[in-house]
Amino acid sequence: DIQMTQSPSSLSASVGDRVTITCRASQTISTYLNWYQQKPGKAPKLLIYAASSLQVGVPSRFSGSGSGTDFTLTISSLQPEDFATYYCQQSYNTLPYTFGQGTNLEIK
Amino acid sequence: QLQLQESGPGLVKPSETLSLTCTVSGGSVTDSTYYWAWIRQSPGKGLEFIGSIYYSGSTTYNPSLKSRVTLSVDTSNNQFSLRLRSMTAADTAVYHCARHYDSGWPNWFDPWGQGILVTVSS
């Protein structure tokens, strides 16, 4: 299986901060990389697909980049509603699709 | 707006079979653009892909679960279902259903159902 490793596991930040979360794949996955946001008790929500494409309805302060094995999710200016857990997920052509362990973004 | 809702038992005994159903509203399971997926989430294993099904019945499964999983689709009721046999405590998790866009590239899950907690215990 392709292992997905996120860093950091947790992060404290303030409203207005610029935040970057990193995801590394154990082998190259081209741009088969998605990012999700999950709030407590809620379903995960797709933010970014194919490494850098913004899902419809997602605010433009979210952006994604990377290819191969290293990827980043950036939030340009944190808003109160952005405090949540973020997951990366690879959808390369070898099953199973796998997820990172999550990054818990907390209010400082 | 597409919505998905999981239903089924919250408690299953060890060695028994789990049966869950996902009801789709605001869209159709026969939409040829999408597959329909099950994903589970537990503190120990995190998020784990279980499998996906197309309205025609074509399936893809996580190889680690393939021997115990069966997915099916009921187009008349706009639902799809999961059966997981020989349940153990390791299968305790929140089970989510989701719409799965799989064109090869890109390939993503959205939206998801809120999930149903399934506990395996005697």
Side-chain angles (χ1 to χ4, degrees):
Chain A
D1 297 2
I2 298 175
Q3 307 302 316
M4 307 300 294
T5 304
Q6 290 181 232
S7 60
S9 295
S10 63
L11 174 61
S12 294
S14 301
V15 172
D17 283 354
R18 180 183 180 88
V19 167
T20 297
I21 298 169
T22 297
C23 179
R24 174 164 289 177
S26 62
Q27 66 184 71
T28 184
I29 57 170
S30 183
T31 55
Y32 288 74
L33 192 283
N34 306 318
W35 289 99
Y36 300 87
Q37 176 194 66
Q38 186 177 31
K39 296 181 180 179
K42 301 294 188 182
K45 172 188 171 184
L46 179 68
L47 300 176
I48 302 284
Y49 64 91
S52 60
S53 295
L54 195 66
Q55 175 66 335
V56 172
V58 174
S60 59
R61 63 181 179 272
F62 291 93
S63 64
S65 65
S67 67
T69 61
D70 294 316
F71 301 87
T72 58
L73 172 70
T74 299
I75 310 173
S76 60
S77 178
L78 271 176
Q79 299 302 300
E81 61 268 28
D82 299 337
F83 293 95
T85 301
Y86 293 84
Y87 296 94
C88 62
Q89 176 244 326
Q90 65 81 16
S91 59
Y92 199 51
N93 59 8
T94 302
L95 289 170
Y97 307 123
T98 50
F99 295 81
Q101 82 280 12
T103 295
N104 184 25
L105 178 54
E106 299 174 323
I107 300 173
K108 184 182 288 184
Chain B
Q1 180 181 356
L2 188 83
Q3 293 185 313
L4 301 97
Q5 180 67 58
E6 304 87 351
S7 59
L11 181 64
V12 177
K13 290 182 168 57
S15 79
E16 290 190 342
T17 296
L18 171 67
S19 294
L20 295 177
T21 296
C22 182
T23 301
V24 177
S25 57
S28 174
V29 295
T30 60
D31 187 331
S32 60
T33 307
Y34 300 104
Y35 286 70
W36 304 92
W38 289 95
I39 298 159
R40 66 183 182 181
Q41 185 170 24
S42 63
K45 290 186 179 180
L47 288 159
E48 182 178 28
F49 170 74
I50 299 172
S52 290
I53 187 165
Y54 196 57
Y55 76 95
S56 64
S58 173
T59 53
T60 58
Y61 294 121
N62 185 326
S64 70
L65 296 169
K66 186 174 183 177
S67 64
R68 298 196 290 132
V69 174
T70 302
L71 301 187
S72 59
V73 61
D74 178 355
T75 57
S76 60
N77 288 307
N78 216 29
Q79 297 174 328
F80 60 104
S81 298
L82 163 72
R83 285 174 55 87
L84 182 61
R85 296 176 290 279
S86 303
M87 294 282 282
T88 71
D91 296 310
T92 293
V94 174
Y95 286 74
H96 296 276
C97 56
R99 184 177 65 177
H100 182 192
Y101 181 75
D102 184 1
S103 69
W105 183 95
N107 179 331
W108 42 255
F109 302 105
D110 189 65
W112 299 44
Q114 187 153 341
I116 182 169
L117 174 60
V118 176
T119 301
V120 182
S121 175
S122 56

